[in-house]
């Protein structure tokens, strides 16, 4: 890629936590308030999405078109990025190429300092979360102000986003009220209620001065159109429009996979994104800009094209479909695992099914990051693939990444794991009909060892690592082979 020097560095900033998913998930499952908030929110979004999608008679054709456009764009990505750079530059913008999070953050900090900014206003952006931009700006003495309502809630609470679309999905209205009372000056606790309209009004007043005094804004981009050098941000609150038009300097951090070839292609995505994400027919605010317009809007526009592990994903023909993601979050809202554990359990900026395949590929499956275990954070029910508007085969990728994870771990060990030994023993048993029959009959003798999904006697390590987070099935009194022999005649066992 032009300007991307050397191999893509590992995307360490994608990782938010340090503990494996299994540990964080067990803790989340014990949080009844969290599960209630998640269940209510995801079920509401699912219902809205279903209603909006059912209105479109050619929805499946739109999905096919979106998948084909993304596949074509990834195949031509270097060419499209060069075209995008040329068009943005021709229209008065400046393009920067960032190999990793450190380079991207350094570019933003340099531009902000040159503009004399002590604070910047931000449009909601997964890319800036991925690179840890807010923290980098803070270290440089620049305050980042999140202007999306949910992002503002998370920022004020010194929390982390839990959802791609609704970062504060894990917070209830009463919690949000308490956060505002604690962190926004001048509020009266006796009159402020947890009514949504009142909370939104408080946030709007709190942000108004920030919009008016800001000299620099930072945004992401939902899409970029190579043919015209246009950048696109879609949002529902109007805060993005304020950030994109009022400041003198606008900095956009965009993953290189967001580029589309033509305006006609953008038409497809502006139909499927709002219905898949918020269940709306169209986005309330769709902002599109191409470089600089003299006397109107920001007079200095910068586009940072972020790699941060993406070229490594692109180089894998089987894994690159993860880059097709348009961050609609539909897969999160239907995932039974996400609904019960929330986004924090994933330890990554990108939670849910898409995060389980994207994050490990961005950071690498080298055995050193918590992201390594994310492909196992799924029941493989396939609901995510059913709703994905760009038809990413998430279950297939999960299975492939699980196999790769096991291979990497096996290569790092000289001695086989207990699990590997058990699987080999099971394989030998199952490959011989008589051995398998004897094992089945023996298992029926242990019926009393399991009650209500738990072993009667605690299993010793390392077997207890399996039973600590899984229910065991009740053992039948008779094997299938015995039943078949008794009811259908004799058979070899």
């Amino acid at each position: 890629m032009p300007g991307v020097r050397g191999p893509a560095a590992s995307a360490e900033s994608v990782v938010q936590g340090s503990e494996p998913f299994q540990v964080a998930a067990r803790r989340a499952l014990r949080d009844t308030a969290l599960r209630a908030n998640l269940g209510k929110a995801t079920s509401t979004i699912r219902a809205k999405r279903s209603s909006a999608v059912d209105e479109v008679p050619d929805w499946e054709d739109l999905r096919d078109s979106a998948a084909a456009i993304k596949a074509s764009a990834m195949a031509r990505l270097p060419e499209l990025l060069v075209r995008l750079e040329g068009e943005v530059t021709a229209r008065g913008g400046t393009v920067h190429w960032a190999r990793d999070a450190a380079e991207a953050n350094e570019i933003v900090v340099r531009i902000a300092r040159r503009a004399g900014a002590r604070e910047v206003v931000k449009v909601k952006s997964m890319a800036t979360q991925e690179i840890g931009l807010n923290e980098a700006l803070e270290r440089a003495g620049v305050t980042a102000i999140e202007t999306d309502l949910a992002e503002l809630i998370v920022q004020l609470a010194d929390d982390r986003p839990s959802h791609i679309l609704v970062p504060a999905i894990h917070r209830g209205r009463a919690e949000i009220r308490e956060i505002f009372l604690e962190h926004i000056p001048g509020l009266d606790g006796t009159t402020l209620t947890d009514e949504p309209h009142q909370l939104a009004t408080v946030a709007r007043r709190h942000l108004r001065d920030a919009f008016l005094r800001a000299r620099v804004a930072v945004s992401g981009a939902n899409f970029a159109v190579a043919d015209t050098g246009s950048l696109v941000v879609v949002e529902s609150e109007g805060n993005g429009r304020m950030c994109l038009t009022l400041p003198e300097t606008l900095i956009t951090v965009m993953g290189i996979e967001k580029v589309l070839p033509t305006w006609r292609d953008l038409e497809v995505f502006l139909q499927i994104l709002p219905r898949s994400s918020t269940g709306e027919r169209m986005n309330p605010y769709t902002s599109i800009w191409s470089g600089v317009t003299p006397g109107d809007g920001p007079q200095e526009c910068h586009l940072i094209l972020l790699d941060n592990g993406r070229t490594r994903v692109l180089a894998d023909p089987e894994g690159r479909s993860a880059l097709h993601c348009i961050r609609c979050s539909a897969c999160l809202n239907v995932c039974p695992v996400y609904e019960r554990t929330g986004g924090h359990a994933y330890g990554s900026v990108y939670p849910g099914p898409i995060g389980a395949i994207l994050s490990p590929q961005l950071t690498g499956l080298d055995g050193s990051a918590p992201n390594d275990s994310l492909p196992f954070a799924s029941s493989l029910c396939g609901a995510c693939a059913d709703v994905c508007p760009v038809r990413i085969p998430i279950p297939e990728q999960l299975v492939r990444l699980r196999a790769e994870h096991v291979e990497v771990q096996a290569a790092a060990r000289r001695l086989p794991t207990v699990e590997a030994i058990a699987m080999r023993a099971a394989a030998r048993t199952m490959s011989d009909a008589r051995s398998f029959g004897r094992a089945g009959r023996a298992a029926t003798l242990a019926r009393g060892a399991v009650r209500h999904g738990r072993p009667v006697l605690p299993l010793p390590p390392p077997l207890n690592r399996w039973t600590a987070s899984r229910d065991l099935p009740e053992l039948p009194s008779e094997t299938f082979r015995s039943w078949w022999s008794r009811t259908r005649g004799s058979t070899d066992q």
Side-chain angles (χ1 to χ4, degrees):
M1 302 285 176
V4 181
R5 301 177 295 279
S10 63
E12 294 180 356
S13 295
V14 175
V15 182
Q16 288 189 333
S18 59
E19 61 183 7
F21 173 84
Q22 293 89 336
V23 177
R26 284 198 293 271
R27 182 168 57 253
L29 289 172
R30 292 192 292 266
D31 189 336
T32 55
L34 172 69
R35 294 181 62 178
N37 290 340
L38 289 170
K40 180 178 180 180
T42 54
S43 62
T44 300
I45 298 172
R46 284 197 303 269
K48 289 182 63 179
R49 177 200 172 276
S50 179
S51 177
V53 165
D54 288 344
E55 296 177 347
V56 184
D58 61 343
W59 179 253
E60 295 305 320
D61 293 334
L62 284 171
R63 294 179 69 198
D64 290 338
S65 296
I69 292 168
K70 275 292 188 178
S72 175
M74 293 304 101
R76 302 167 48 204
L77 189 56
E79 166 199 336
L80 294 177
L81 290 173
V82 171
R83 177 70 183 275
L84 177 66
E85 179 184 31
E87 295 297 328
V88 170
T89 303
R91 288 163 173 77
T94 304
V95 177
H96 310 263
W97 297 79
R99 178 179 57 183
D100 54 22
E103 287 190 1
N105 288 332
E106 190 276 330
I107 293 168
V108 176
V109 169
R110 186 174 69 243
I111 296 171
R113 282 176 169 169
R114 191 174 65 212
R118 300 299 300 271
E119 63 182 23
V120 301
V121 289
K122 289 187 63 208
V123 187
K124 180 179 179 297
S125 164
M126 298 299 296
T128 59
Q129 292 174 16
E130 176 185 325
I131 63 177
L133 177 61
N134 288 11
E135 293 77 12
L137 286 169
E138 183 179 1
R139 291 192 295 270
V142 179
T143 301
I145 301 174
E146 296 288 354
T147 65
D148 174 85
L149 176 57
E151 288 284 2
L152 175 65
I153 294 166
V154 170
Q155 184 180 44
L156 291 176
D158 195 22
D159 197 357
R160 290 184 289 112
S162 181
H163 192 276
I164 290 176
L165 178 67
V166 193
I169 194 172
H170 57 294
R171 296 283 191 174
R173 292 188 303 176
E175 291 180 279
I176 296 170
R177 174 183 177 274
E178 294 303 316
I179 291 170
F180 281 5
L181 285 174
E182 181 178 354
H183 296 285
I184 297 180
L187 295 181
D188 184 354
T190 61
T191 59
L192 179 65
T193 70
D194 62 2
E195 197 273 325
H197 176 74
Q198 191 174 22
L199 295 174
T201 300
V202 167
R204 185 180 298 112
R205 290 173 179 168
H206 173 69
L207 292 171
R208 180 66 58 174
D209 287 342
F211 287 133
L212 296 176
R213 68 175 180 261
R215 302 173 64 180
V216 176
V218 177
S219 81
N222 294 96
F223 308 102
V225 181
D227 276 359
T228 59
S230 302
L231 303 178
V232 184
V233 165
V234 297
E235 40 108 6
S236 300
E237 299 174 14
N239 64 296
R241 182 68 56 83
M242 301 285 279
C243 291
L244 297 170
T245 56
L246 291 178
E248 302 167 0
T249 300
L250 174 60
I251 308 168
T252 300
V253 182
M254 184 189 84
I256 56 176
E257 80 280 13
K258 295 296 187 70
V259 65
L260 300 175
T262 69
W263 268 98
R264 190 67 180 269
D265 300 324
L266 179 63
E267 173 193 349
V268 174
F269 290 92
L270 290 183
Q271 293 181 73
I272 65 171
L273 178 56
R275 293 178 187 272
S276 294
S277 56
T278 58
E280 296 170 296
R281 296 183 179 94
M282 64 182 294
N283 294 100
Y285 296 89
T286 299
S287 301
I288 304 174
W289 69 101
S290 302
V292 174
T293 302
D296 184 15
Q299 297 301 288
E300 190 175 334
C301 290
H302 297 264
L303 170 61
I304 301 174
L305 295 173
L306 176 68
D307 186 335
N308 209 35
R310 286 162 174 79
T311 52
R312 176 173 51 238
V313 183
L314 186 68
D316 183 355
E318 295 182 349
R320 66 169 56 167
S321 64
L323 295 178
H324 297 183
C325 176
I326 59 174
R327 310 293 192 265
C328 69
S329 75
C331 62
L332 280 71
N333 299 325
V334 299
C335 178
V337 176
Y338 176 86
E339 184 178 351
R340 287 158 179 79
T341 63
H344 292 163
Y346 291 80
S348 169
V349 169
Y350 302 107
I354 186 60
I357 64 171
L358 181 60
S359 297
Q361 292 188 91
L362 288 176
T363 57
L365 289 168
D366 59 0
S368 63
N371 286 343
D372 288 2
S373 66
L374 288 185
F376 297 90
S378 170
S379 64
L380 296 179
C381 66
C384 50
D386 292 340
V387 299
C388 178
V390 291
R391 297 195 186 279
I392 300 173
I394 296 177
E396 295 176 19
Q397 287 224 35
L398 287 169
V399 173
R400 182 182 64 85
L401 290 171
R402 289 180 182 187
E404 185 176 339
H405 171 76
V406 172
E407 291 172 1
V408 169
Q409 287 207 326
R413 295 188 179 95
R414 293 186 177 181
L415 297 176
T417 63
V418 173
E419 182 181 11
I421 295 172
M423 289 298 116
R424 290 172 188 170
R428 284 195 296 268
T429 300
M430 294 179 181
S431 63
D432 179 75
R434 293 185 180 277
S435 297
F436 188 69
R438 286 193 293 268
R441 290 193 298 273
T444 61
L445 301 178
R447 286 193 67 216
V450 178
R451 291 180 184 171
H452 306 296
R454 313 302 301 169
V456 174
L457 297 176
L459 297 177
L463 297 178
N464 60 349
R465 293 177 58 188
W466 178 272
T467 58
S469 57
R470 298 170 176 85
D471 288 339
L472 298 175
E474 300 290 340
L475 296 173
S477 60
E478 185 178 25
T479 68
F480 173 80
R481 287 167 173 260
S482 298
W483 173 84
W484 185 273
S485 176
R486 178 172 55 80
T487 60
R488 304 295 178 90
S490 62
T491 184
D492 289 338
Q493 297 190 40

